Amino acid sequence: MEIIKTYVQQNKERFINELIDLLKIPSVSADSAYSQDVLNTADKVKEFLEKAGCDTVEICETPGYPIVYAEKNINPSLPTVLVYGHYDVQPADPIDLWDSPPFEPVIKKTELHPDGAIFARGACDDKGQMFMHVKALELMMQTNTLPCNVKFMIEGEEEVGSSSLAWFVERNQEKLKNDVILISDTGMISNTQPSITTGLRGLSYVEVEVTGPNRDLHSGLYGGAVANPINVLTKMIASLHDENNRVTIPGFYDKVEELSKEERDEMAKRPFSLDEYKKALDIEDIYGEAGYTTNERNSIRPTLDVNGIWGGYTGEGAKTVIASKAFAKISMRLVPNQDWEEITQLFKKHFESIAPKSVKVVVKPHHGGQGYVTPIDSIGYQAASKAYSDTFGVTPIPVRSGGSIPIVALFEKELKSKTIMMGFGLDSDAIHSPNEHFGIFNFLKGIETIPLFYKYFTEMSK
């Protein structure tokens, strides 16, 4: 620990400045206007991995954005850790809600981050957390404390479904062979109570299009006589939940795992203040499926949410028009045993069936992935728990996350190894939102904790 703390203390300003340089590149994978920036970010990650001490670093071409792959092999008889992360980021929109430009990183102190936090798109998700692993490797190389072999697989399409990564994994199983996969793309409870994510929800993401008349119409001449696609779409969406906020799609809950009272009681031990939760979000009350707590609703229960809806005139002033088309983007977060492709088909069949004959409906599937649960009795989990305990002085709590990392289930299927999710971000870090940030404390604490995972995993694997 003393070696680790000394190295981090001596190099922390450089670590922070290097991360800021990485955050300045707008690697938005969802928008083709940023395609060169995404490629430039891959090159930058390659450069950092080379400087960290990897023997082999390569930009691996795929049908989409490239994967940065790297290795540091010290002894074939020792375990191998495969680190996964992503260098692409979410779009920064809406730009006007940012307090500072999303790709001009600034450090500001907050109530939860008295040591300061870096505000920028990708600061927490996932450039900051991915970069912790690069710097942890540098630390182990410079202090001659790397206890096992390590591989890196850093992709550029996580925010758009990871289709190229699936293609790459299926074709490179021997190259990616490992004993455990390590990911930091999740969070923890607080800076005083760490946690390890043991479950992820799956995802089905679709776009719907509702078409009425063959052109936009004058709302005075045609209003009330023909279907308004926006009106119809909002009614259809409203019908997707019942009075208890359960999803009404037939078959949606058929394979949902119902946790026992004992399991739910164990989850309830997680520190949580409902008043603080509401205060942080500036809401008067919570909302969700009847019969479940807030932390159950956002982790062990499936959901359906509208992520965007548009149609008609949205510019300044008034335009009395009945739009020809209306659109919405909808995501469904799924729990283990729910197959995302099956749920997508159930949604498509149901949504088309509830449309009135006065409109035409098209459902376009985008991307998805399976849910995942990792056992807490594995060597990987125990090593992670011991590492957190050393650096935080508190035993981490196992928690299930409401988020999705679709590729994790594929890793287990194709590579036959378990994934350990060591997140260091906080729920309040505003990932996917304006003013995303990552605490300096969290960033440096991650660099301190990760080398200890390597140490304990290697020792426990003997």
Side-chain angles (χ1 to χ4, degrees):
M1 274 299 299
E2 198 58 43
I3 292 173
I4 291 171
K5 284 181 175 291
T6 299
Y7 191 86
V8 170
Q9 188 64 32
Q10 290 174 344
N11 293 276
K12 65 179 183 179
E13 294 303 324
R14 175 172 60 84
F15 290 169
I16 293 167
N17 290 332
E18 288 174 344
L19 174 56
I20 286 174
D21 286 343
L22 195 61
L23 292 169
K24 289 178 180 178
I25 313 174
S27 52
V28 181
S29 55
D31 189 340
S32 60
Y34 296 95
S35 59
Q36 188 58 52
D37 294 298
V38 179
L39 297 174
N40 291 345
T41 307
D43 290 335
K44 194 73 172 175
V45 172
K46 176 177 182 287
E47 177 187 326
F48 280 125
L49 284 166
E50 288 171 338
K51 290 180 178 178
C54 287
D55 294 324
T56 302
V57 187
E58 54 187 314
I59 300 287
C60 300
E61 298 301 325
T62 74
Y65 287 118
I67 287 163
V68 185
Y69 176 80
E71 295 180 359
K72 180 60 186 179
N73 296 308
I74 60 173
N75 189 327
S77 66
L78 291 171
T80 297
V81 176
L82 173 62
V83 176
Y84 163 82
H86 64 93
Y87 61 83
D88 66 319
V89 301
Q90 281 273 321
D93 308 77
I95 300 293
D96 58 346
L97 294 183
W98 285 77
D99 294 334
S100 54
F103 297 107
E104 296 178 19
V106 296
I107 297 176
K108 293 183 284 188
K109 293 183 178 181
T110 72
E111 183 179 349
L112 292 177
H113 297 294
D115 296 329
I118 304 174
F119 282 73
R121 172 57 85 229
C124 182
D125 182 20
D126 179 48
K127 286 179 178 176
Q129 298 211 72
M130 173 271 290
F131 201 57
M132 295 183 309
H133 290 271
V134 180
K135 295 295 101 179
L137 174 64
E138 176 196 310
L139 182 155
M140 290 183 285
M141 291 297 296
Q142 292 297 317
T143 58
N144 196 30
T145 55
L146 179 65
C148 62
N149 307 307
V150 59
K151 298 176 180 178
F152 286 83
M153 179 171 56
I154 314 299
E155 69 155 319
E157 293 183 0
E158 196 276 343
E159 300 294 5
V160 290
S162 297
S163 59
S164 293
L165 183 65
W167 177 92
F168 182 77
V169 170
E170 291 165 1
R171 288 161 177 77
N172 291 277
Q173 294 185 7
E174 186 61 32
K175 185 189 193 88
L176 299 172
K177 191 174 180 180
N178 66 84
D179 295 284
V180 69
I181 298 169
L182 191 57
I183 297 177
S184 295
D185 196 11
T186 52
M188 61 182 186
I189 294 172
S190 72
N191 285 353
T192 56
Q193 177 56 70
S195 56
I196 301 174
T197 300
T198 58
L200 296 164
R201 289 195 289 188
L203 174 69
S204 169
Y205 195 96
V206 300
E207 183 174 325
V208 299
E209 175 184 310
V210 176
T211 303
N214 61 4
R215 64 185 188 278
D216 290 356
L217 302 176
H218 188 291
S219 64
L221 299 178
Y222 290 92
V226 298
N228 182 323
I230 300 175
N231 292 353
V232 171
L233 175 60
T234 55
K235 287 182 180 179
M236 292 172 68
I237 288 173
S239 76
L240 295 176
H241 291 91
D242 65 16
E243 65 279 4
N244 292 314
N245 293 317
R246 283 176 61 89
V247 178
T248 57
I249 298 170
F252 187 81
Y253 291 96
D254 285 358
K255 297 180 180 178
V256 172
E257 175 190 17
E258 294 287 345
L259 268 64
S260 66
K261 181 180 184 300
E262 290 74 20
E263 289 175 292
R264 292 174 68 181
D265 288 345
E266 193 64 26
M267 287 183 59
K269 294 178 181 178
R270 169 182 176 176
F272 178 73
S273 167
L274 188 57
D275 287 339
E276 289 180 9
Y277 183 83
K278 292 189 288 188
K279 180 182 177 182
L281 298 176
D282 195 19
I283 56 176
E284 289 294 320
D285 202 2
I286 52 174
Y287 186 89
E289 184 182 1
Y292 295 91
T293 67
T294 295
N295 283 334
E296 290 174 336
R297 289 166 178 165
N298 64 22
S299 62
I300 64 170
R301 299 301 295 168
T303 60
L304 183 152
D305 284 290
V306 178
N307 302 130
I309 184 167
W310 68 100
Y313 180 70
T314 58
E316 186 177 349
K319 183 182 180 184
T320 51
V321 63
I322 295 174
S324 172
K325 294 178 179 289
F327 305 84
K329 293 181 186 288
I330 296 172
S331 65
M332 290 161 281
R333 299 287 177 167
L334 312 175
V335 295
N337 299 332
Q338 283 184 298
D339 180 83
W340 77 271
E341 292 177 320
E342 180 182 351
I343 293 297
T344 300
Q345 289 306 309
L346 289 176
F347 175 91
K348 181 176 175 6
K349 179 180 178 182
H350 177 68
F351 204 74
E352 291 173 347
S353 73
I354 63 174
K357 293 183 178 179
S358 53
V359 298
K360 295 185 281 292
V361 170
V362 175
V363 176
K364 303 174 184 176
H366 276 263
H367 62 272
Q370 309 298 84
Y372 182 79
V373 175
T374 190
I376 64 173
D377 59 357
S378 69
I379 291 174
Y381 180 88
Q382 292 169 6
S385 180
K386 193 166 173 52
Y388 277 105
S389 297
D390 282 3
T391 54
F392 283 86
V394 179
T395 302
I397 296 173
V399 299
R400 291 201 187 185
S401 170
S404 304
I405 308 177
I407 202 67
V408 172
L410 178 76
F411 285 161
E412 181 151 336
K413 175 187 174 186
E414 297 291 340
L415 303 178
K416 307 296 188 292
S417 51
K418 296 295 182 184
T419 295
I420 304 301
M421 290 167 276
M422 295 180 65
F424 292 86
L426 302 180
D427 287 345
S428 58
D429 286 347
I431 63 172
H432 291 209
S433 302
N435 299 315
E436 177 182 352
H437 54 281
F438 190 36
I440 299 296
F441 169 89
N442 306 70
F443 175 57
L444 298 178
K445 189 64 77 171
I447 299 171
E448 289 181 6
T449 306
I450 291 165
L452 294 172
F453 170 84
Y454 282 74
K455 168 181 161 61
Y456 293 130
F457 183 77
T458 302
E459 292 175 353
M460 293 176 182
S461 298
K462 293 178 180 178

